[in-house]
Amino acid sequence: MRATTIHAPFDLRVEDVPDPVVQDPTDAVVRVLRACVCGSDLWAYRGESARRPGQRIGHEFLGIVEEAGADVTGFRAGDLVVAPFVWSDGTCDYCAEGLQTSCPRGGFWGTPGSDGGQGEAVRVPFADGTLVRLPADAASDDHLLTALLALSDVLGTGHHAALGAGVREGSTVAVVGDGAVGLCGVLAARRLGAERIIALGRHTARTDIARAFGATDVVAERGEAAEAAVRELTGGQGAHAVIEAVGTEQSMRTAVGIVRDGGSIGYVGVPHGSGTGLDLSVMFDRNIALRGGVAPVRAYIPELLPDVLDGSVDPSPVFDLTVGLDGVPDGYRAMDERTALKVLVKP
């Protein structure tokens, strides 16, 4: 089969690789119908996170089960499924608690020895604990398939951030970051009943999506100017809940600066850089809570799936560029240059 591999910074290739096969009786092989490029993939692309030459890449995909191992009981060939961005056994204490990202036998797609999502097929370990079945007729609905793909990462990650931030009915929420995860955080905040949603972002195409997703206000300023703008919008108090979806020191400083005393920050931006911008004494004095991390999206898919299927939640607008498998390197380049928000891949 063909799959995307990374060899060095800015050196992505679509190459012939061995076809995936069932290696363990709990495996399944999934033929990929839709995949995409994540903002976190760009850190490897830019050389800011290490990869072995020739390593697979991509962690968001959905597709059709081609083969299931002898011990797989929940799926059979022909099933349409979505995969969260980590696999998990579904039987450990962490999986039972809904923290599949800490499963001792789990792992991330594209790590050494595993398949990546940006290819024609993927071997899925622990299929019963990892995959979620989708309605078969969704396979013929291009728009719905695109929306369902967001369940593999960005929609669940935005939801995780909203939960960490304590978004509740009638609350005021601020979202730091206008990437796909931040925009899905806006969707999640609206779904959870936020009364006011302030989106921080400078790119009109992205803030237009934020408004369509439920943002009531947009703040284009950055740094101290952004903090002042949010304070002005909230009568000087700040937001009850802040979603941090970037992961830089500046974004975390902004999150702390715009949260209301007694409020919470839900952080899901993958941290990068030399610091976090956190001053625990400030957080202590102002009773600010911080909760988040790697989103256990496998725990959230069953809850979010019905809303995507009935159209009440539609994350598909975050995909603004579509490429075939050969176009994946161009898709990375477009996201790196910020001419694309999130790239959809149709192998």
Side-chain angles (χ1 to χ4, degrees):
M1 72 166 191
R2 299 166 70 245
T4 308
T5 58
I6 184 165
H7 293 261
F10 306 104
D11 183 4
L12 286 179
R13 307 174 193 176
V14 180
E15 301 181 304
D16 290 329
V17 300
D19 290 337
V21 295
V22 169
Q23 297 179 12
D24 299 308
T26 53
D27 290 349
V29 173
V30 173
R31 174 170 52 88
V32 177
L33 294 182
R34 297 288 184 278
C36 54
V37 180
C38 182
S40 64
D41 291 331
L42 295 180
W43 303 120
Y45 180 68
R46 295 165 179 159
E48 297 184 41
S49 60
R51 294 292 188 275
R52 297 180 185 174
Q55 189 172 328
R56 307 287 180 82
I57 195 165
H59 55 260
E60 301 161 277
F61 65 94
L62 58 75
I64 301 290
V65 174
E66 294 276 271
E67 183 182 1
D71 291 349
V72 175
T73 61
F75 303 95
R76 61 184 181 183
D79 284 344
L80 179 66
V81 294
V82 62
F85 63 81
V86 302
W87 70 81
S88 53
D89 63 19
T91 61
C92 72
D93 289 344
Y94 286 115
C95 287
E97 294 165 8
L99 194 63
Q100 289 89 343
T101 48
S102 291
C103 176
R105 296 198 290 174
F108 290 78
W109 310 113
T111 51
S114 70
D115 294 326
Q118 294 160 15
E120 292 182 321
V122 175
R123 180 181 73 89
V124 178
F126 304 112
D128 283 329
T130 301
L131 299 172
V132 176
R133 184 185 291 104
L134 302 173
D137 57 2
S140 61
D141 186 330
D142 187 69
H143 182 88
L144 180 57
L145 270 186
T146 300
L148 290 167
L149 177 61
L151 290 167
S152 64
D153 186 347
V154 288
L155 184 59
T157 297
H159 180 69
H160 186 59
L163 293 180
V167 177
R168 62 188 185 278
E169 194 81 29
S171 58
T172 294
V173 181
V175 180
V176 181
D178 60 2
V181 170
L183 294 172
C184 285
V186 172
L187 264 183
R190 185 192 69 182
R191 180 179 176 274
L192 292 171
E195 181 176 329
R196 192 173 194 183
I197 304 172
I198 304 167
L200 280 69
R202 296 180 298 159
H203 305 275
T204 302
R206 299 181 180 203
T207 56
D208 285 348
I209 296 173
R211 289 189 184 277
F213 281 3
T216 55
D217 304 272
V218 169
V219 168
E221 293 85 356
R222 300 185 73 181
E224 293 182 358
E227 294 176 26
V230 174
R231 292 280 172 184
E232 183 176 355
L233 287 170
T234 57
Q237 292 188 340
H240 300 105
V242 175
I243 290 171
E244 192 284 313
V246 182
T248 64
E249 182 170 337
Q250 180 60 65
S251 64
M252 188 60 79
R253 286 186 184 277
T254 298
V256 172
I258 63 178
V259 70
R260 185 181 187 273
D261 286 15
S264 300
I265 299 169
Y267 70 104
V268 292
V270 178
H272 49 277
S274 60
T276 62
L278 284 178
D279 185 335
L280 292 181
S281 65
V282 170
M283 299 181 70
F284 181 87
D285 290 344
R286 297 177 52 210
N287 280 280
I288 296 171
L290 180 68
R291 187 171 180 85
V294 184
V297 298
R298 177 61 181 81
Y300 302 139
I301 292 174
E303 175 185 352
L304 298 172
L305 176 58
D307 289 353
V308 177
L309 290 174
D310 69 18
S312 58
V313 171
D314 181 8
S316 63
V318 303
F319 299 100
D320 61 344
L321 177 64
T322 300
V323 298
L325 196 54
D326 286 332
V328 169
D330 290 334
Y332 271 80
R333 190 175 305 112
M335 285 182 61
D336 183 50
E337 295 172 352
R338 297 184 71 85
T339 58
L341 169 59
K342 189 169 181 66
V343 173
L344 176 70
V345 181
K346 295 183 178 180

